[in-house]
Amino acid sequence: MSDADKAVTHELTVQRLAGEMFREAAWAALGTFVLGVVVSTVIWGTAGLFGSLIGGAIAIGSSLLTLLLMRKTAALDPMFVMVAALGGFMGKLIVLLLAVILLRNQSWLEPKALGITLVATVLVTSFLEARASKRSRSQMVVPASEGA
């Protein structure tokens, strides 16, 4: 059975969108992460390396968790998917805030490298995920209802 033969449901639409968002943002996020590591290491040395590695890992991890959350909640009612998305966003903000607060006074890493790499990676990833969502053709189809 091909994709065209399957009934298009809300779950399938959200899972397709999550896949498109991942494909759009994955390489750019890794490129931003690597660029942040290289620049931070050149500017701040080993402390910059550690700071940027942690910042980039947190940023990429939070992006992957957002897409995983989309996939896991795809079968739920659309209202609950939005609630989960808002909860995931709030959770991401809390994790980012805690990481910056807990690591800002560590002598073995450069907090500027952590912050710059984290923010740059999150911005690039978020922009490309939003662009993928806007361009997605999977949202052009009105999902079939369960009773039809």
Side-chain angles (χ1 to χ4, degrees), residues 13-101:
T13 302
V14 172
Q15 289 184 347
R16 280 184 191 164
L17 179 60
E20 291 171 12
M21 290 168 71
F22 176 78
R23 284 187 295 278
E24 182 83 19
W27 290 110
L30 289 174
T32 306
F33 173 53
V34 169
L35 181 66
V37 168
V38 170
V39 169
S40 297
T41 303
V42 168
I43 294 173
W44 292 292
T46 307
L49 171 69
F50 292 141
S52 61
L53 284 174
I54 292 171
I58 291 170
I60 289 175
S62 68
S63 177
L64 290 176
L65 285 175
T66 299
L67 296 173
L68 180 65
L69 182 67
M70 280 180 69
R71 286 193 163 279
K72 294 296 182 184
T73 61
L76 300 176
D77 185 75
M79 181 177 65
F80 292 115
V81 174
M82 294 307 295
V83 168
L86 181 60
F89 178 71
M90 293 304 296
K92 183 190 295 191
L93 287 178
I94 291 168
V95 167
L96 296 177
L97 180 65
L98 286 174
V100 170
I101 288 171

Side-chain angles (χ1 to χ4, degrees), residues 115-128:
I116 291 169
T117 305
L118 190 143
V119 168
T121 306
V122 165
L123 286 176
V124 166
T125 305
S126 297
F127 172 76
L128 291 174

